[in-house]
Amino acid sequence: MRHARCSLTILIEWADKSMMAEAVRSNPKKTFLSGVLLLSMSTVLVKVLGLIYKIPMLTYLGSEGMGYFNSAYEIYALFCVIASAGLPVALSVLISSSVARGEEERVPAIYRASMTIFVWIGILGTAIMLFLAGFFCRLIKSEHAYYCILSIAPTVFFVCISSGVRGYFQGYQKMLPTAVSQLLESVGKLVFGLLLARFALHRGYTTSVVAAFAGLGLTLGSAFSMLYLLLEKRRFSQRNPWHSARKNTENTEKSSKIWKRLARLAIPMTLGASLVSMTKLIDMTMILRRLQSIGYTEIAANEAYGSYTTLALSVYGLLPALINAVALPLVPMLSSSIASGDRHRQAEMIRMSYRITATLAIPTALGISAFARPILSILFGSDPQAVSFAAPLLSYLGVSVFLSCMITATNSVLHAYQEVHRPIRSMLFGAAVKVAGAYLLIGIPQIGLVGAPISTFFCNAIVVLLNLGFVSALCPIGKLKALFLKPLLAAALSVGLSMWVYWLVERHAWAGGAIALAFLVAVSAYLLLACFLGVICREDVRLLPMGDRLCHALQRTGILRKTEDKK
């Protein structure tokens, strides 16, 4: 565990020092993109570890046990989002705005007042999960998830404390602590979760108890992440006495005033994020109940839900989580630009966040939809029945990947402008469509669980359209046609070519080799087409390792443009 932490920390510290320091000396655009690259590296590693965790865990627990685990996780996520969604972002906005105005002496008081809230939310959230575990089981109609809910409950407190410290560092545009803490949490969940689940399995415990032992791994991983962040905060304060937690006698804002400022920002943000989590919880409850209404037993419904969440939703959620690497650096930097009144820089950063999101999300969405079954077969081939059940669901979900990523990007822009009520409006409309659509569609035996991803698509589409309109009213950034249509064209051509390659090779070779070759063809074709169409420009390439040499080589071919299209 310690060796893994050191290796991962060294890797990210190299990125932080070699890229971030150079970016800060140059311009805000490079600072933003370097922060994105740093957090992207961390998120990719976290998601890889998450998949590594789920593959053997599916073997240990089966679809039924994963259904219990995921049910408990969704309940935990609802409480966790209260502390990890709105408050950290609000804290980073207050800190970055204070620094931009030259009022850095206010930061310690802001941090102290914020952590008081985080601690109390953590205590209350953990207590509610512990004492109302039976009620939640009856609500979702899954009595066997009881012990799993109990094992995950302490994680709420640990995540609350971690979220507060992350928000503090992000206010200073320091993304390294966030990246390392995410990795520590994932490594802890992987190591402790698998060891404890295996121990319980060998002792002959029931499936629900084995799932609870797996939940303890998540709790221990979150505890290690919290301890690391607290140590980093202490080191930062010792190196910078100005940021010490000791009270300043001058220019110290009263806690009550800070709480009011935090509340104005955090409560609407948290309500918006809670709507997403609440929609997932309602979705879970509706899936279990509606499947049983059309003839599924409780165990069969949990198996179906376990396959859907463990296989389809795990792959679906990979890229939207990665887009958080765009959102986290964007909010404090865009807030700083808003505080300084630089409209040109605001528009540039918004366009940049949209462009990065489209460049990554559109090809991924098409690729997941086209190769759902081969992807799941490689990852979860030990359970072919679950793969056969989840593959069509992932194909439907794939088209929603881009929309989910755009929700994250547009919400971050609105939060930076402190227009925190507008995402709530859009999410209310989307959630209403989601709930109504899922209820009607899942209850039709011929459609069944396929109704869940279909309703997700319509929900996400409505939210994105409303958010884009809200952002355009705040800061006009020109036409978005080129930002989305060009990546779509490049992605469609490259994915189509890769499907043809897969079809040719799969008949004569191992399926794993066929999908690997198809992936290489798709990525290579997309990168070339993206450069040729101006989706990727010279400034983007130069930020990569050995970027100058790569940029020079691509420019000699005549396919790489100097800047992105502004139209």
Side-chain angles (χ1 to χ4, degrees), residues 87-97 166-168 170-172 328 331-332 335:
L87 276 170
V89 178
L91 176 57
S92 69
V93 168
L94 292 183
I95 291 176
S96 62
S97 298
R166 286 171 182 169
Y168 174 85
Q170 288 160 16
Y172 280 100
L328 286 178
V331 174
S335 298

Side-chain angles (χ1 to χ4, degrees), residues 7-22:
S7 301
L8 293 171
T9 303
I10 290 171
L11 172 64
I12 300 182
E13 282 179 348
W14 169 84
D16 187 53
K17 292 177 181 178
S18 62
M19 295 180 297
M20 193 72 76
E22 173 61 28

Side-chain angles (χ1 to χ4, degrees), residues 1 24 74 148 190 208 265 282 322 327 336 357 366 411 448 563:
M1 176 76 177
V24 170
E74 290 298 338
C148 207
L190 172 67
S208 60
L265 293 174
I282 294 173
L322 182 61
S336 180
T357 300
L366 295 182
N411 279 349
T563 58

Side-chain angles (χ1 to χ4, degrees), residues 15-244:
D16 187 53
K17 292 177 181 178
S18 62
M19 295 180 297
M20 193 72 76
E22 173 61 28
V24 170
R25 288 193 297 266
S26 52
N27 58 56
K29 178 179 177 180
K30 287 190 176 182
T31 304
F32 172 57
L33 291 177
S34 297
V36 169
L37 184 56
L38 174 63
L39 287 176
S40 296
M41 291 172 58
S42 168
T43 305
V44 168
L45 290 173
V46 166
K47 287 303 176 181
V48 169
L49 290 172
L51 281 176
I52 293 173
Y53 167 80
K54 288 182 178 180
I55 292 170
M57 195 62 73
L58 181 63
T59 303
Y60 290 161
L61 303 181
S63 297
E64 178 191 353
M66 290 304 296
Y68 301 140
F69 180 86
N70 291 328
S71 297
Y73 187 88
E74 290 298 338
I75 296 171
Y76 144 78
L78 178 61
F79 290 97
C80 181
V81 76
I82 296 175
S84 61
L87 276 170
V89 178
L91 176 57
S92 69
V93 168
L94 292 183
I95 291 176
S96 62
S97 298
S98 296
V99 173
R101 292 193 301 264
E103 300 173 349
E104 201 166 355
E105 69 276 3
R106 298 182 182 273
V107 171
I110 294 173
Y111 175 73
R112 287 195 306 270
S114 302
M115 288 306 295
T116 302
I117 300 176
F118 281 108
V119 170
W120 278 109
I121 290 176
I123 293 173
L124 291 174
T126 296
I128 290 172
M129 284 196 68
L130 287 174
F131 292 111
L132 297 182
F135 167 77
F136 290 125
C137 289
R138 293 189 295 272
L139 179 67
I140 65 176
K141 210 172 182 180
S142 181
E143 299 290 339
H144 292 89
Y146 178 79
Y147 294 112
C148 207
I149 295 174
L150 295 181
S151 69
I152 291 178
T155 310
V156 177
F157 176 78
F158 299 139
V159 170
C160 285
I161 305 302
S162 298
S163 297
V165 184
R166 286 171 182 169
Y168 174 85
F169 281 119
Q170 288 160 16
Y172 280 100
Q173 300 175 23
K174 291 177 65 66
M175 302 302 163
L176 177 62
T178 296
V180 175
S181 64
Q182 289 173 345
L183 288 169
L184 273 178
E185 184 176 332
S186 294
V187 171
K189 181 176 74 171
L190 172 67
V191 174
F192 293 117
L194 292 179
L195 288 177
L196 290 171
R198 186 175 181 181
F199 166 79
L201 193 64
H202 288 172
R203 292 294 297 269
Y205 294 137
T206 62
T207 300
S208 60
V209 175
V210 177
F213 272 83
L216 283 176
L218 175 62
T219 299
L220 291 174
S222 300
F224 272 94
S225 175
M226 179 195 70
L227 290 175
Y228 161 78
L229 284 166
L230 291 174
L231 289 174
E232 282 297 305
K233 172 60 174 64
R234 183 179 180 183
R235 288 174 54 192
F236 183 76
S237 297
Q238 290 174 344
R239 292 194 305 266
N240 304 272
W242 189 258
H243 308 297
S244 172

Side-chain angles (χ1 to χ4, degrees), residues 290-291 293-294 437-451:
R290 294 296 282 167
L291 287 179
S293 72
I294 59 176
Y439 182 85
L440 293 173
L441 294 173
I442 296 174
I444 301 175
Q446 294 81 0
I447 298 177
L449 195 51
V450 175

